[in-house]
Amino acid sequence: MSSLEEVAEEIRLCRLCPLWRSRTNTVPGEGRRDAEVMVVGEGPGEEEDAQGRPFVGRSGRLLTEALEKAGLRREEVFITNVVKCRPPDNREPLPEERETCVSTYLYRQMAAVKPRMVILLGSVAVQTLLGKPSVSSVRGKAFEKDDVVYFCTYHPAAALYNPANKTTFFKDIEKAKQLLESLKAFKKQKTLDDA
Ligand code: URA
């Protein structure tokens, strides 16, 4: 199995899809190598492309605020995206770009971090990881797949442009944190029962 650093190094050199041509920096992701929670957005925007770090622009500030309000410090989660290079003009990543990037990198990052929960932000993440048509049908819900719990909510960009979405987004992140605590309590109880 590859380490997070090995995957990040491969991403830095990646030319598997055309997005490498227009990027300034790749954005592999950042956070704790053994994070309980992984957060997956869509793809880097302008700020992220300039800095090589995920969610450092306006959406990122809102995400950080929502996480911290829910009792999750940004440094203790692992934050990344479906695609690791900025799509030109902030267009959505194309299906083949998503598939290539997720199968080559994101799944290996998940295997290295082994999060209890993956929070999916917005439709691109929900479509790519769960095959659901859009976030609206699943927001606020959790799904278990291949031993990982996926929690779905809005992309923070949607929350920035609509105050109602912002309230919902903050509540969802709190709900995700509560679900995480229940999963941990359940696991602890099961360990005690099995002992
Ligand atoms: N939007 C995303 O989906 N990801 C980022 O890293 C920044 C903005």
Side-chain angles (χ1 to χ4, degrees), residues 41-45 48 54-55 59 81 155:
E42 176 176 324
E48 291 77 19
F55 282 102
S59 290
N81 284 295
H155 190 284

Side-chain angles (χ1 to χ4, degrees), residues 37-170:
V37 175
M38 201 151 164
V39 178
V40 179
E42 176 176 324
E46 193 175 3
E47 285 277 325
E48 291 77 19
D49 176 65
Q51 295 189 37
R53 295 181 56 210
F55 282 102
V56 288
R58 283 186 73 206
S59 290
R61 284 192 286 279
L62 196 72
L63 172 64
T64 305
E65 191 186 331
L67 288 171
E68 308 228 334
K69 265 212 159 133
L72 284 162
R73 281 179 305 115
R74 183 180 162 111
E75 308 73 57
E76 72 183 286
V77 305
F78 189 88
I79 305 181
T80 188
N81 284 295
V82 167
V83 296
K84 317 302 192 197
C85 298
R86 182 192 182 200
D89 305 318
N90 290 344
R91 67 158 169 77
E92 280 191 358
L94 302 173
E96 55 270 29
E97 294 163 351
R98 302 178 195 185
E99 285 315 315
T100 303
C101 212
V102 164
S103 59
T104 317
Y105 304 120
L106 182 62
Y107 286 142
R108 286 165 64 210
Q109 290 177 313
M110 285 173 58
V113 175
K114 298 192 195 71
R116 275 179 203 270
M117 177 184 282
V118 177
I119 300 180
L120 301 176
L121 304 175
S123 287
V124 167
V126 160
Q127 287 162 359
T128 312
L129 276 299
L130 294 177
K132 305 282 182 192
S134 77
V135 71
S136 51
S137 56
V138 290
R139 71 129 284 281
K141 295 193 179 141
F143 299 85
E144 192 173 356
K145 194 182 132 195
D146 302 330
D147 284 334
V148 180
V149 173
Y150 291 89
F151 185 91
C152 309
T153 187
Y154 290 135
H155 190 284
L160 274 175
Y161 295 109
N162 179 331
N165 287 354
K166 182 172 167 183
T167 308
T168 308
F169 176 66
F170 273 63

Side-chain angles (χ1 to χ4, degrees), residues 1 16 23 32 58 95 127 145:
M1 191 184 75
L16 288 178
R23 75 186 176 215
R32 274 185 72 130
R58 283 186 73 206
Q127 287 162 359
K145 194 182 132 195

